[in-house]
Amino acid sequence: MKKLNRILRGLIYVLPAVLFFSYYPVISLGSSETMNFELSLPILWLLVFDFIGFLILVFEKKLFSGVRRWWWGLLFPTFATLSLIWSENLVRGVLTCGILWLVLFAVYVILSLREKFYDERGFSYVFLKVFLASSVLICLWCVAQCVMDVLGASREVTLLCLGCVYQMFGFPHPNGFAIEPQFMGNLLLAPVLISGYFVLKNRKYLLLFIFVAALFLTFSRGAIYAFVVGLIFMSVALFVKKIGFKKIAMMWGVVVLSFVFTLNLQGVLAQVSPTNDTYISGVSKVLNHLSLGIIDIRAGTDEEVNDNIGDDEAVERDENEAVFDGYVEESTNVRMELTENAVKVWSRDFRTMMLGVGIGGAGQAMYDAGLTGSPKEIVQNEYASLLLETGIVGVIIVIIVVLMILKNIRKNPVSIIILSLMVSYGVSLMFFSGMVNALQIYLLPPVIYIVLRKKLVS
């Protein structure tokens, strides 16, 4: 039993580091017309953790001890499983439900055995050390990806996604070991908010600077907006609790300095990249894209520039020109269109409005309605996807679950961090859908809850 307990603690120690490898390495198991079948390190971690946790709960006769207290946690997975009966994509629905139950059981194990971590001397210290150290290393890897890319290294070496290379904007934006920059940015939300909170305690600004700079380097609007909203929520909550305004202002000062540093770095990367971009054009593109086109300090349009150069020079310029010259409006439009498509299918009849098209069925339902070109297309908005797949009933259940979570954490000393993280994750879910590449949203809050609660009360 002691060996199993040590293994369980070890698995929690390495969880933050494992989550960063949400796509690389990946084990491909083939594909179908509607989805790809893949295994990642976080999924393998989840399987092993649940198995070890199950053995401990059985041996200690605690398998059902917490069900009465946390019964509400069963509501959504149970309804989602029932929705398999009418799911328009049964295979995807079964796999989605499987991951949903695995995540739920992992959270149940964490909460049921939390006393073991409270009693373990140094557990909080070791976890935070691994958590923050692994986060720093991943941030350094993101910088390395950018440097290698502008120096001409292949994507097989840099592991950059196709849309992440310098040819897109004139400078690269890293995805770490995730499938896309938005997921890399999402993975940095927890390190950023935790380090921001502890800046108020010990004034160690360097970690916050590194994490925020890396987050801005990903160039993911969804992750950046989510971070800003989460930090505003944390600042207001701390101010209400009478944390000194000066400390909060210092925290925001570090954030601003990090943004300025990253903005300059992106300008430098644009200057040294093989494109014809300059430092000024790189900085201008960043501001234009992140502000959704509102801030526009670009020197001039492509047509104006081409009027001042000869035909031969124009041909050469085209060959070295980045794909995008600023705000990519299409990216926003596609997400909004997919959300609108989901709502259209959801509102097609009363039954769908109430019960949805079944778990995992969003892509197939939109394709069958002639609104997308492939059944693999996802909604790119978790809230719209939830509404389409589980209907009003599913949404109501999720609201009940969230309210119960808030009720259970509101009086704990770690509540500000958890709530700020939930707010950030909540905003980020407006920009993508699915669980596999974002397990941190569901696994990190309960782990941080037991780790930081012990640290803050000890």
Side-chain angles (χ1 to χ4, degrees):
M1 181 57 66
K2 289 183 178 180
K3 186 175 181 179
L4 289 176
N5 288 332
R6 287 196 296 269
I7 294 174
L8 194 72
R9 287 195 296 270
L11 287 170
I12 292 185
Y13 285 149
V14 302
L15 173 61
V18 169
L19 288 172
F20 280 115
F21 296 86
S22 60
Y23 189 74
Y24 293 105
V26 64
I27 302 173
S28 178
L29 303 176
S31 63
S32 66
E33 293 182 355
T34 61
M35 64 183 300
N36 299 320
F37 303 104
E38 298 169 338
L39 276 178
S40 63
L41 285 183
I43 294 296
L44 294 175
W45 180 95
L46 192 58
L47 290 169
V48 175
F49 183 83
D50 280 0
F51 178 70
I52 298 299
F54 174 79
L55 293 179
I56 294 176
L57 290 176
V58 170
F59 290 152
E60 297 190 358
K61 299 180 179 180
K62 294 181 178 180
L63 187 58
F64 302 105
S65 61
V67 173
R68 179 178 297 180
R69 179 179 179 183
W70 298 306
W71 59 270
W72 43 269
L74 296 170
L75 293 176
F76 183 75
T78 300
F79 178 73
T81 303
L82 288 174
S83 75
L84 289 174
I85 298 173
W86 60 87
S87 175
E88 298 194 19
N89 189 338
L90 184 59
V91 174
R92 189 184 186 100
V94 169
L95 294 176
T96 302
C97 278
I99 294 177
L100 186 61
W101 281 107
L102 286 173
V103 169
L104 175 67
F105 188 72
V107 173
Y108 181 73
V109 170
I110 292 168
L111 296 178
S112 296
L113 301 178
R114 63 192 183 282
E115 292 83 4
K116 294 182 179 295
F117 310 119
Y118 295 158
D119 296 337
E120 179 66 15
R121 185 177 181 181
F123 175 81
S124 299
Y125 172 80
V126 175
F127 176 86
L128 288 174
K129 188 174 182 179
V130 174
F131 180 44
L132 298 175
S134 61
S135 300
V136 170
L137 290 176
I138 293 297
C139 290
L140 295 177
W141 166 249
C142 287
V143 175
Q145 282 184 301
C146 294
V147 174
M148 289 189 293
D149 184 59
V150 297
L151 293 179
S154 67
R155 289 179 52 237
E156 286 72 22
V157 175
T158 65
L159 301 183
L160 285 174
C161 67
L162 186 60
C164 301
V165 294
Y166 71 81
Q167 288 92 339
M168 296 296 108
F169 287 93
F171 55 87
H173 48 294
N175 56 289
F177 296 98
I179 190 171
E180 294 177 3
Q182 65 174 329
F183 294 109
M184 180 62 238
N186 194 279
L187 284 161
L188 288 172
L189 292 178
V192 164
L193 292 174
I194 290 175
S195 61
Y197 183 86
F198 281 112
V199 154
L200 305 174
K201 299 286 185 178
N202 52 34
R203 297 188 178 183
K204 293 181 179 179
Y205 300 114
L206 182 58
L207 285 177
L208 179 61
F209 180 89
I210 292 174
F211 298 148
V212 175
L215 175 60
F216 280 111
L217 192 61
T218 64
F219 206 40
S220 168
R221 289 171 299 166
I224 292 171
Y225 299 162
F227 153 65
V228 172
V229 174
L231 198 64
I232 290 175
F233 177 89
M234 177 183 287
S235 300
V236 172
L238 291 172
F239 185 76
V240 170
K241 286 185 172 291
K242 299 183 179 180
I243 298 295
F245 177 77
K246 183 178 179 181
K247 292 183 178 180
I248 298 174
M250 288 293 291
M251 179 177 66
W252 278 97
V254 175
V255 171
V256 173
L257 287 176
S258 299
F259 172 68
V260 172
F261 170 81
T262 303
L263 187 63
N264 281 276
L265 177 59
Q266 289 165 320
V268 171
L269 290 170
Q271 178 71 55
V272 302
S273 74
T275 67
N276 60 358
D277 276 285
T278 64
Y279 169 86
I280 297 298
S281 70
V283 170
S284 301
K285 288 182 182 182
V286 173
L287 296 176
N288 190 246
H289 186 65
L290 293 183
S291 67
L292 303 181
I294 296 175
I295 301 175
D296 192 353
I297 59 174
R298 293 171 295 176
T301 65
D302 292 343
E303 290 76 16
E304 292 173 339
V305 176
N306 281 333
D307 286 341
N308 297 322
I309 60 178
D311 292 338
D312 292 338
E313 292 175 318
V315 171
E316 182 179 353
R317 180 179 184 276
D318 289 339
E319 292 176 351
N320 297 321
E321 188 176 13
V323 175
F324 303 116
D325 65 351
Y327 170 46
V328 185
E329 189 174 358
E330 182 182 0
S331 174
T332 302
N333 292 340
V334 168
R335 281 184 166 85
M336 292 181 65
E337 183 180 356
L338 288 170
T339 297
E340 291 173 359
N341 290 341
V343 174
K344 286 180 182 178
V345 177
W346 168 75
S347 60
R348 67 188 180 188
D349 55 59
F350 180 76
R351 175 186 170 279
T352 303
M353 291 176 66
M354 294 303 298
L355 301 176
V357 298
I359 194 74
Q364 186 67 55
M366 291 191 298
Y367 176 73
D368 290 342
L371 299 174
T372 59
S374 169
K376 286 185 178 181
E377 188 71 71
I378 57 178
V379 180
Q380 295 287 359
N381 181 327
E382 186 61 32
Y383 300 107
S385 181
L386 177 70
L387 181 65
L388 176 56
E389 294 189 348
T390 63
I392 294 175
V393 174
V395 171
I396 292 175
I397 291 174
V398 169
I399 291 174
I400 292 173
V401 172
V402 171
L403 291 176
M404 292 300 294
I405 292 174
L406 297 178
K407 178 183 177 182
N408 279 269
I409 69 171
R410 71 183 190 281
K411 294 182 179 180
N412 291 305
V414 75
S415 61
I416 290 180
I417 299 178
I418 299 298
L419 290 175
S420 301
L421 191 55
M422 289 176 63
V423 168
S424 285
Y425 283 153
V427 173
S428 71
L429 288 173
M430 297 174 63
F431 297 88
F432 66 87
S433 56
M435 293 181 61
V436 177
N437 293 309
L439 290 178
Q440 68 275 2
I441 293 178
Y442 311 98
L443 293 176
L444 277 183
V447 172
I448 293 172
Y449 172 82
I450 65 167
V451 171
L452 295 188
R453 184 172 184 271
K454 171 61 177 175
K455 183 176 180 63
L456 292 177
V457 300
S458 59

